[in-house]
Amino acid sequence: EVQLVESGGGLAQTGGSLTLSCTASGLTFDQYAIGWFRQAPGKEREAVSIISSSADNRYYRDSVKGRFTISRDSAKDTVYLRMNSLKPEDTAVYYCAADTSYVATMVGPKYWGQGTQVTVSS
């Protein structure tokens, strides 16, 4: 059974930092692209950042470029999202997701985690 478990969410102040972790099990980690998505109340879910299986390709949505950094650690089967200079508009439930295809991870990944709440206070 594939499981993606997010951790690291919580409360931060504007300008602060958080690091989210997504630990995978039940899959061959190095064969999967991993993405971070978020959904704020009343809004559509959106892709935040994607990293390819080899880490050669990374995507960031425009609103987080220069502030967020995605990375992966094959020894720990974990993908990280370092979030700096947080803004109130970053408040959302953050989900990680996985698929064998980098493109599919961006538009409709097969596996999803349960999500972790990030709240940024002004």
Side-chain angles (χ1 to χ4, degrees), residues 2-4 22-25 27-37 49-59 70-74 77-80 95-113:
V2 174
Q3 286 192 317
L4 301 173
C22 172
T23 300
S25 61
L27 53 74
T28 305
F29 184 76
D30 290 346
Q31 294 180 358
Y32 281 78
I34 307 287
W36 285 98
F37 298 75
S49 184
I50 314 289
I51 187 166
S52 64
S53 58
S54 64
D56 288 344
N57 293 301
R58 302 172 201 227
Y59 160 83
I70 193 168
S71 61
R72 60 191 297 153
D73 184 341
S74 294
D77 289 354
T78 298
V79 169
Y80 303 97
Y95 301 88
C96 70
D99 202 289
T100 52
S101 160
Y102 179 69
V103 173
T105 301
M106 198 171 301
V107 300
K110 184 173 183 179
Y111 301 110
W112 289 87

Side-chain angles (χ1 to χ4, degrees), residues 3-67:
Q3 286 192 317
L4 301 173
V5 179
E6 302 97 337
S7 61
L11 178 65
Q13 292 186 333
T14 297
S17 299
L18 287 171
T19 298
L20 304 184
S21 300
C22 172
T23 300
S25 61
L27 53 74
T28 305
F29 184 76
D30 290 346
Q31 294 180 358
Y32 281 78
I34 307 287
W36 285 98
F37 298 75
R38 67 186 180 189
Q39 187 166 22
K43 294 189 176 182
E44 298 275 323
R45 186 169 57 198
E46 59 188 21
V48 176
S49 184
I50 314 289
I51 187 166
S52 64
S53 58
S54 64
D56 288 344
N57 293 301
R58 302 172 201 227
Y59 160 83
Y60 297 97
R61 69 179 303 106
D62 287 346
S63 61
V64 308
K65 284 181 181 177
R67 300 190 298 122

